């Protein structure tokens, strides 16, 4: 599984001539790194003098971020698998009309799944981004830039996953699904930009 590779191995997989893993997996991994940074900030705040009022908050944030880091690593593999499912669907036989109907149905299901997985990445990355905003405002001041980088990586995960949702929609014939998904993507991205802009302003105004 991709999530079990070390950094060098993962980079080698990305840079190969194979299309898997691609941008969707990288987006998910960006979100996992962001969540891990948040765990670090929470740990460097909890128990520290001067931050007693937020110790409980930091413990809660740490637990949430650890779960999200694990979930986003799972999405690294899920995104790769979703793309592979599309490829396999196109390789199905089309010798007769029955084959063609079965193949067309499989292709539609594969494209829909290939859109749903990065949508899940967007949702998870949004949760990470919200936690990044919290630790940026409440966390140990010495880790403020780490919180800022966490926000940046979470935003990258949202926007990167967005591309991988949108690229699949033109191939999906269910118009209601396409319209609803486009609307969800738009709303999530709007919220992400709003949260990230607040993180940037807070971090930059602190120096």
């Amino acid at each position: 599984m991709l999530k079990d590779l070390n950094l060098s191995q993962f980079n080698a997989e990305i840079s190969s001539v194979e299309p898997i893993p691609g941008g969707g997996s990288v987006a998910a991994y960006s979100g996992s790194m962001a969540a891990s940074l948040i765990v670090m900030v929470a740990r460097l705040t909890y128990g520290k003098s001067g931050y007693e009022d937020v110790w409980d908050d930091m413990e809660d944030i740490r637990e949430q971020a650890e779960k999200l880091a694990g979930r986003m690593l799972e999405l690294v593999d899920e995104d790769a698998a979703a793309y592979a499912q599309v490829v396999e669907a196109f390789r199905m036989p089309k010798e007769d009309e029955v084959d063609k109907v079965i193949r067309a149905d499989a292709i539609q299901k594969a494209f829909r799944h290939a859109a749903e997985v990065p949508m899940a990445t967007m949702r998870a990355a949004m949760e990470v981004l919200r936690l990044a905003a919290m630790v940026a405002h409440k966390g140990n001041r010495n880790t403020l830039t780490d919180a800022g980088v966490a926000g940046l990586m979470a935003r990258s995960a949202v926007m990167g996953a967005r591309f991988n949702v949108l690229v699949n929609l033109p191939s999906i014939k269910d118009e209601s699904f396409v319209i609803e998904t486009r609307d969800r993507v738009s709303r999530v991205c709007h919220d992400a930009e709003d949260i990230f802009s607040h993180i940037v302003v807070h971090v930059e105004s602190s120096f």
Side-chain angles (χ1 to χ4, degrees), residues 4-61:
D4 297 323
L5 300 179
N6 64 39
L7 290 177
S8 296
Q9 292 169 332
F10 187 54
N11 281 347
E13 289 292 324
I14 295 168
S15 61
S16 74
V17 296
E18 298 298 325
I20 304 172
S25 293
V26 171
Y29 188 61
S30 297
S32 182
M33 287 191 290
S36 296
L37 267 176
I38 291 167
V39 171
M40 183 192 77
V41 173
R43 283 178 168 159
L44 290 173
T45 305
Y46 180 80
K48 294 295 187 294
S49 176
Y51 297 95
E52 291 85 355
D53 290 346
V54 297
W55 285 0
D56 289 343
D57 291 339
M58 289 299 127
E59 269 296 275
D60 183 54
I61 289 170

Side-chain angles (χ1 to χ4, degrees), residues 82-93 103 106-107 110:
Y83 183 82
Q85 185 177 327
V86 173
V87 173
E88 287 302 312
F90 273 99
R91 289 175 177 168
M92 292 177 68
R103 178 177 178 272
I107 289 172

Side-chain angles (χ1 to χ4, degrees), residues 109-128:
K109 288 179 179 177
F111 272 123
R112 182 167 179 143
H113 183 59
E116 290 171 336
V117 171
M119 194 71 232
T121 298
M122 290 186 73
R123 290 194 299 270
M126 274 299 296
E127 293 184 49
V128 176

